[in-house]
């Protein structure tokens, strides 16, 4: 997606073309414009009635991070995460409370999907947050994201929850040393 200003100057990405913005950071008019436009496009791509990512909501939330991929003069995609307190029901109906890092929004521009940009954003998020893929909960994953998680991380098995978050069974895997 193109903007009528220099997106690199506005976002200051690293050498990998990915900028990381945190909700406690200061915002600028240009950064807000990028977040609103990409948030809108993401909601449309997912067929959602309400936009999940807006600049106002992002900068007023606690402890949320936005990863933005830039290529040349274009913004390619966004990925948003934050910690959320969730109730998890296992197959016996036993409820437990967990606070995982959650994937809250994820979008790559239509013309650039299936070219590895999504994997680059996801890899960066895992590196920066220091969280393993099986420990991420996903808010309302789309069929494309279900396919993405199976392909790149071998994750596909989960118990449907009332809260629409997907927590893979692997979340509870105990790693023996
Ligand atoms: N249909 C089915 N699977 C798709 C897909 C599509 N149109 N686009 C991407 N995928 C999945 C597949 O597993 C694909 O592997 P394949 O091409 O071998 O089948 C894999 O993602 C490609 O990985 P990558 O190129 O790194 O992903 P991406 O850059 O396309 O980004 C998404 C993945 C999900 C962010 C992107 O497709 C997107 O923005 N989709 C629309 C919005 C959305 O559904 N967001 C998820 C919100 S929960």
């Amino acid at each position: 997606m193109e903007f009528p200003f220099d997106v690199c100057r506005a976002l200051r990405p690293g050498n990998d073309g990915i900028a990381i913005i945190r909700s406690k950071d200061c915002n600028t008019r240009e950064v807000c414009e990028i977040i609103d436009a990409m948030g809108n496009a993401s909601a449309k791509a997912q067929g959602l009635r309400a936009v999940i990512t807006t600049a106002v909501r992002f900068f007023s939330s606690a402890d949320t991070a936005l990863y933005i991929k830039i290529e040349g003069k274009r913004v390619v995609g966004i990925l948003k995460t934050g910690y959320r307190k969730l109730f998890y029901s296992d197959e016996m109906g036993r409820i437990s409370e967990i606070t995982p890092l959650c994937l809250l929004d994820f979008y790559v521009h239509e013309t650039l999907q299936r070219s590895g940009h999504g994997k680059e954003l996801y890899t960066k998020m895992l590196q920066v947050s220091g969280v393993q893929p099986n420990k991420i909960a996903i808010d309302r994953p789309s069929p494309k994201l279900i396919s993405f998680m199976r392909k790149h991380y071998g994750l596909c098995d989960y118990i449907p929850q009332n809260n629409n978050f997907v927590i893979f069974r692997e979340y509870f895997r105990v790693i023996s040393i």
Side-chain angles (χ1 to χ4, degrees), residues 22 62-67 79-86 98-104 122 124-139 149 165-168 171:
R22 297 185 190 281
D63 202 17
T64 309
L66 193 59
Y67 298 76
L79 185 159
K80 186 173 76 170
T81 59
Y83 283 89
R84 296 287 182 273
K85 194 179 280 185
L86 301 176
I98 55 175
T99 308
L101 184 65
C102 298
L103 181 70
L104 302 172
Y122 212 92
K124 181 76 176 187
M125 177 274 288
L126 293 173
Q127 278 170 358
V128 170
S129 58
V131 176
Q132 297 295 312
N134 59 313
K135 292 289 186 186
I136 308 268
I138 303 176
D139 191 6
M149 294 307 294
F165 276 85
V166 160
I167 296 144
F168 293 104
Y171 181 94

Side-chain angles (χ1 to χ4, degrees), residues 86-127:
L86 301 176
F87 290 102
Y88 177 80
S89 174
D90 69 13
E91 52 266 274
M92 305 297 288
R94 289 175 299 220
I95 310 279
S96 51
E97 192 182 299
I98 55 175
T99 308
L101 184 65
C102 298
L103 181 70
L104 302 172
D105 202 359
F106 189 20
Y107 167 70
V108 169
H109 193 270
E110 278 71 10
T111 57
L112 297 162
Q113 288 175 13
R114 287 186 140 155
S115 311
H117 294 293
K119 178 73 178 349
E120 278 179 46
L121 275 165
Y122 212 92
T123 302
K124 181 76 176 187
M125 177 274 288
L126 293 173
Q127 278 170 358

Side-chain angles (χ1 to χ4, degrees), residues 1-174:
M1 187 180 289
E2 296 203 21
F3 292 84
F5 50 80
D6 182 347
V7 292
C8 273
R9 190 181 40 74
L11 293 167
R12 301 167 190 268
N15 291 338
D16 53 8
I18 298 177
I20 306 171
I21 301 174
R22 297 185 190 281
S23 48
K24 59 176 165 34
D25 291 347
C26 294
N27 60 43
T28 65
R29 189 185 51 77
E30 290 175 339
V31 168
C32 290
E33 198 174 313
I34 292 168
I35 295 174
D36 284 339
M38 294 301 283
N40 249 308
S42 177
K44 272 195 196 128
Q46 295 176 63
L48 303 175
R49 270 175 291 167
V51 178
I52 306 168
T53 302
T54 66
V56 167
R57 209 171 300 157
F58 175 72
F59 284 109
S60 57
S61 65
D63 202 17
T64 309
L66 193 59
Y67 298 76
I68 306 182
K69 172 94 199 285
I70 296 141
E71 197 176 64
K73 294 177 175 177
R74 297 178 300 182
V75 177
V76 169
I78 57 165
L79 185 159
K80 186 173 76 170
T81 59
Y83 283 89
R84 296 287 182 273
K85 194 179 280 185
L86 301 176
F87 290 102
Y88 177 80
S89 174
D90 69 13
E91 52 266 274
M92 305 297 288
R94 289 175 299 220
I95 310 279
S96 51
E97 192 182 299
I98 55 175
T99 308
L101 184 65
C102 298
L103 181 70
L104 302 172
D105 202 359
F106 189 20
Y107 167 70
V108 169
H109 193 270
E110 278 71 10
T111 57
L112 297 162
Q113 288 175 13
R114 287 186 140 155
S115 311
H117 294 293
K119 178 73 178 349
E120 278 179 46
L121 275 165
Y122 212 92
T123 302
K124 181 76 176 187
M125 177 274 288
L126 293 173
Q127 278 170 358
V128 170
S129 58
V131 176
Q132 297 295 312
N134 59 313
K135 292 289 186 186
I136 308 268
I138 303 176
D139 191 6
R140 294 169 204 268
S142 65
K144 289 182 185 180
L145 189 64
I146 292 288
S147 165
F148 176 94
M149 294 307 294
R150 181 185 284 117
K151 176 189 167 102
H152 294 303
Y153 301 104
L155 294 168
C156 57
D157 194 13
Y158 62 91
I159 300 169
Q161 304 289 310
N162 288 333
N163 56 18
N164 293 317
F165 276 85
V166 160
I167 296 144
F168 293 104
R169 281 183 200 265
E170 295 286 298
Y171 181 94
F172 299 97
R173 191 186 56 195
V174 178

